[in-house]
Amino acid sequence: MSQQNIEPCASREEYLALVATLQRYSHEYYVQDAPSVPDAEYDRLFRQLQATEQSQTEWVVADSPSQRVGGKPLAAFSQVDHRVPMLSLDNAFNDEDLEDFNRRNQERLATNSDLEYGCEPKLDGIAVSLMYHNGVLQQGATRGDGSTGEDITQNVKTIGSIPLRLQGDDFPEILEVRGEIYMPKEGFAHLNQKARDKGEKEFANPRNAAAGSLRQLDSKITASRPLEMCAYSVGFVELGSAPELPEKHTDILYKLRDWGFLINAQMKVAANIKECISYYQHIAEVRDELAYDIDGIVFKVNSSEQQQRLGFVSRAPRWAIAYKFPAQEEVTILQDVEFQVGRTGAITPVARLEPVFVGGVTVSNATLHNRDEVARLGVKVGDTVIVRRAGDVIPQIVSVVEDRRPDNATDITFPEQCPVCDSPVVSKEGEVVARCTGGLICAAQRKEALKHFVSRKAMDVDGLGDKLIDQLVENGLVESMADLFHLELNAVSALERMAEKSAQNLLQALEQAKQTSLPRFLFALGIREVGEATARNLAQHFGNLDALMSANADKLLEVSDVGPIMAEFILGFFADSRNRQEIERLQAAGVQWPDIEVKAADELPMNDLTYVLTGTLEQMSRNEAKAALQELGAKVAGSVSAKTSVLVAGPGAGSKLKKAQDLGVEIIDEDALIALLQQHR
Ligand code: IVH
């Protein structure tokens, strides 16, 4: 058939009418899944639009469907400040968590009545913010860190289910619509098929594919990808002369649908938390049949008024929660077990697996933790095992499929000698961990100690990654931490894959790292059990290294969160002459830090006060709260008595709260505690 002749529009009115028609057709096609004209008709009108816009460039409107096909590539994304922060969600992992969430809401709203919830699948894609001014799409942005995202306007315009202009006339003057951009499973499969055919790299999962497609500076690439957008809330709103938005969250979403958005077809209203649980079970059953990947269900208190009363904690609203689906599991074969040696000599058995796709990635290793875990699982080499990968947690072996055990399966035997340095391996009485006794003679321990020493929260040596440490140790350039500061340019630039420029950069980074702080230095030393927080507490308590090194166990126990076991590790570390020498060498090489002014106990603001913590803390862990209070000089006790100064009561508080009330002890909630701690920062 011959190509039809396409006549450009004769007038601007005709052109604008064409824009409106094409907008309607594309909404029918992308959002309603119900096109009223055949594709050929759409294509013909679309070509007419293009022809018109080519000859009459001054007519082109920002919301023309032609703007979806992708404009000029960008050099970089610019930043967008969110006028209302884009929060994340707290998670629930079982029915009890969900019921707790409901109970907390009822308590905060001081009601025993059922709360109504909006229920929606949690789409596994990328959050997006779309800003409309007078109904025209002005800007699309990623969530970023929640307060600042990236401007992806050109890219979002290529997505068919995102309206470039809102339908109807009752939308707010400024309206920010939020939702998830995702790639339906079918589109994902096609995309990967194409990649396979061309011998290109495939995407691991639809989420990655969606993210990769959105982060394209060339929006033509985005335009070629099968992306969708599903709206799930509004952000910034300025009504202008428009009527108020509906009171209920679900009705707001129906409004968004009227204005042209795709909303989730599975969305439901639950009259109470029991109905939420049934909804969750129902969606879990149909999950695999859905056209898109989901990783849980989002429940939102449906009344906006109640949402406002519940408010937010630092990173998530109190009125919403994501109930995650159970971790994803797969079956594979354990092909071998290798033993890795960690920084403290701990020997960890690592399962080498026949690669398996689970939880969205290909997994070929899983930790077996220690001897006890191997025994608990009763696992042998050659076994078929169930691997679990939940979220970003490292893969675990959950169990053995025993009836698939082959005849030649072999037991896992722990080495008696270190696989790296041959030193004897010992397990202390009562400890499940087996350790290499080689200390710093062991290249594996040295490497791990060095990796820890230079890491970001320790000495923070820029550009000194794991691979480079391996090379430095293997080439005999570095044995201990202080050797790093004696590296010479020639030797470093002679390493494989090292150019002179990068060698210079490394030496410069090492030079910079010499100026450090006492907490960082203490953490960097890698004393067993001494994490970042303890290092900080030790530094603040003793003020300088000499005072710490000469402290006895009693003195160490005065430091918050130092217990007898840790005190022993600290004493043991400083009693070892090799460690003392290493510290001297580090200082001689120029590593230095300022001393810290130590406050006497009676100068601390909470000296003489005794706190008790009860109920659930939602914004910090109990240990964090305790450490923060102790840092200010307070004592933190386990039970309420007449000596208690303040009780911090979170949701779910019981007998301690009652006792405190009876004794007339001051009672505060977590928010008040946080305010108090901030006052003393
Ligand atoms: S509501 C303040 N609803 O899940 C409420 N989020 O950690 C914020 N997500 O990055 C989100 N489906 O992009 C909401 N139906 C849904 C959702 C949803 C997916 C994503 C969202 C956010 C993450 C929450």
Side-chain angles (χ1 to χ4, degrees), residues 87-89 120-123 127 143 180 232 298 300 317 319:
L87 302 170
S88 68
L89 291 171
E120 301 149 52
K122 183 167 183 294
L123 295 165
R143 173 169 182 267
E180 198 84 350
Y232 59 60
V298 183
K300 301 172 189 169
W319 43 263

Side-chain angles (χ1 to χ4, degrees), residues 569-591:
F569 284 136
I570 298 170
L571 287 174
F573 183 90
F574 289 120
D576 188 330
S577 61
R578 290 175 304 180
N579 292 332
R580 285 182 174 263
Q581 271 167 20
E582 188 64 21
I583 292 171
E584 274 168 26
R585 289 188 62 218
L586 284 164
Q587 289 183 300
V591 174

